[in-house]
Amino acid sequence: MIFRTIAALAALLITLPGQALAHIGDHVRGIESGFLHPFSGLDHLLAMVAVGLIAARLGGSALWHLPVAFISAMVAGAAVAMIGMTVPLVEAAILASVIICGAALIIDANVPVTLAATGTAAFAFFHGVAHGAEGPAAAPLGYILGFIGGTAILHMAGIAAYRGAARYDVAAAAALRLTGTVIMGAGVGLAYVA
């Protein structure tokens, strides 16, 4: 029920025109811009949904460890970019995150939560660097809060999708592998055109 409510709220927020917020100021525009940023790039969107799928697949404490690790490291990466530090190979690491998350869904391995959270955080740092480099200087806190919200919704979408598929025992594993194949294929395709 909570996932449906959040998804409905996210859909409503995404459809709001930016002009309706024009009189509110930079802070709200920063939040709006940050919220929409994870949805604006296929690489970010796929990786964030995949983290939710992997977290749900692993279950237990991974359900919150992976999203928290991702969001925490993403904020750290954004902070690094916002203070002007440069980080090499950001786009390559982001594309690698999509490909590796897709592969993780395909092989359906049981990995320790600590290892999964560490890998998740490592990739999330680079997503954060990209977010921070593209953020508005006028409202950095609002922008960060916005992309935290957008990212959390994408993680929850992955968790909800896995739970929905898990109801169909036999088809769930095949659906997870197919989803992983699509995510990995998209990552390879994005890397090819980059």
Side-chain angles (χ1 to χ4, degrees):
M1 179 67 182
I2 190 165
F3 290 116
R4 288 185 188 138
T5 304
I6 291 170
L9 178 60
L12 176 66
L13 288 173
I14 290 169
T15 61
L16 291 175
Q19 295 81 3
L21 300 174
H23 66 284
I24 297 178
D26 287 339
H27 185 69
V28 171
R29 275 187 264 171
I31 291 173
E32 176 189 26
S33 176
F35 180 83
L36 294 175
H37 189 86
F39 297 91
S40 68
L42 188 59
D43 50 357
H44 296 307
L45 189 141
L46 290 173
M48 292 171 189
V49 170
V51 166
L53 288 165
I54 293 166
R57 160 60 187 86
L58 293 174
S61 67
L63 220 57
W64 65 270
H65 271 107
L66 270 60
V68 168
F70 192 100
I71 290 171
S72 300
M74 182 180 61
V75 169
V80 164
M82 288 178 168
I83 62 171
M85 292 178 68
T86 58
V87 176
L89 302 173
V90 171
E91 288 304 318
I94 289 171
L95 292 173
S97 75
V98 176
I99 294 166
I100 291 171
C101 283
L105 291 167
I106 293 168
I107 62 172
D108 199 20
N110 285 321
V111 298
V113 173
T114 305
L115 177 62
T118 302
T120 296
F123 285 133
F125 176 81
F126 291 98
H127 284 269
V129 170
H131 290 340
E134 298 169 9
L141 181 60
Y143 180 75
I144 289 170
L145 292 173
F147 73 66
I148 288 171
T151 300
I153 287 171
L154 290 171
H155 290 330
M156 287 188 273
I159 292 168
Y162 179 83
R163 288 188 170 179
R167 293 181 187 158
Y168 307 99
D169 293 330
V170 176
L176 193 64
R177 287 189 173 95
L178 177 62
T179 302
T181 303
V182 169
I183 290 171
M184 190 171 103
V188 169
L190 290 169
Y192 181 74
V193 298

